[in-house]
Amino acid sequence: MGALLPWRPFRELERMARRWESPFPRLFEDFEDNYDEEFTPAVESYVKNGNLVVRADVPGLELKDLDVSIIGNVLCVKGERRSEQGVKKEDYLRREVSYGAFERRMTLPEGAAADKIKAGFKNGVIEITVPLAKETVAKKVPIEAEAEKKVEISKK
């Protein structure tokens, strides 16, 4: 039921190494000329009131840029963030925003009512609600502790 996120283990190490390369502060410290990283929206999912709620941050997108579909038991959110028209790559002073098409998929739990799915979009966040069967909703399981055996130590 978890979403897959891109793994970038060495990004922070590379940034730290660049900062230690010179004893003097650089004028344009964090500039990256080749920022071509793909756009991958951050996703969260949780269960609330018997529904699976999936939220994705898609800042800068409009409703026409998004598509939500169900393929079998897989929820699929697709879209594309387009760069500003008329701005050349060489005109950027700083570019940390990523652009491009994305597709996020999440396997729905068994018993999810895919035919009753609802999606809303507000303030750059798409929220998808999928009703779950009662059997699918998490139930707290009590943990029983074994009785501790007391061991007597005899002194001689």
Side-chain angles (χ1 to χ4, degrees):
M1 197 156 94
L4 295 175
L5 297 175
W7 186 42
R8 299 181 185 110
F10 299 108
R11 177 186 290 164
E12 234 8 80
L13 290 173
E14 289 171 355
R15 285 183 184 158
M16 287 174 23
R18 281 196 307 268
R19 288 188 176 132
W20 283 98
E21 285 173 1
S22 169
F24 306 104
R26 290 185 273 173
L27 182 58
F28 302 108
E29 187 172 310
D30 287 328
F31 278 20
E32 294 182 24
D33 294 331
N34 298 319
Y35 194 84
D36 292 327
E37 192 171 318
E38 292 181 11
F39 172 58
T40 304
V43 175
E44 66 181 358
S45 62
Y46 53 90
V47 176
K48 182 178 179 183
N49 300 328
N51 295 304
L52 170 65
V53 179
V54 179
R55 293 171 45 97
D57 288 341
V58 287
L61 272 71
E62 297 177 20
L63 192 57
K64 66 181 174 82
D65 299 323
L66 294 166
D67 178 64
V68 176
S69 59
I70 301 287
I71 304 167
N73 67 337
V74 177
L75 172 66
C76 183
V77 179
K78 294 185 206 177
E80 183 174 1
R81 187 191 310 189
R82 294 176 184 85
S83 62
E84 192 69 35
Q85 296 295 323
V87 180
K88 298 176 192 166
K89 187 175 182 177
E90 59 269 11
D91 291 338
Y92 280 98
L93 298 176
R94 185 174 190 98
R95 185 172 178 200
E96 296 179 353
V97 177
S98 52
Y99 299 95
F102 68 89
E103 183 174 334
R104 299 297 307 265
R105 292 175 178 243
M106 174 184 275
T107 302
L108 295 174
E110 201 171 308
D115 58 330
K116 295 180 181 175
I117 189 171
K118 292 182 181 178
F121 182 69
K122 183 179 178 184
N123 297 331
V125 177
I126 185 164
E127 183 172 294
I128 303 158
T129 307
V130 184
L132 298 175
K134 285 186 180 183
E135 302 83 42
T136 309
V137 179
K139 178 179 109 177
K140 188 157 179 84
V141 177
I143 302 171
E144 296 178 19
E146 266 188 54
E148 293 183 26
K149 297 178 182 177
K150 292 184 180 180
V151 179
E152 289 186 29
I153 302 174
S154 61
K155 294 183 182 179
K156 289 187 181 183

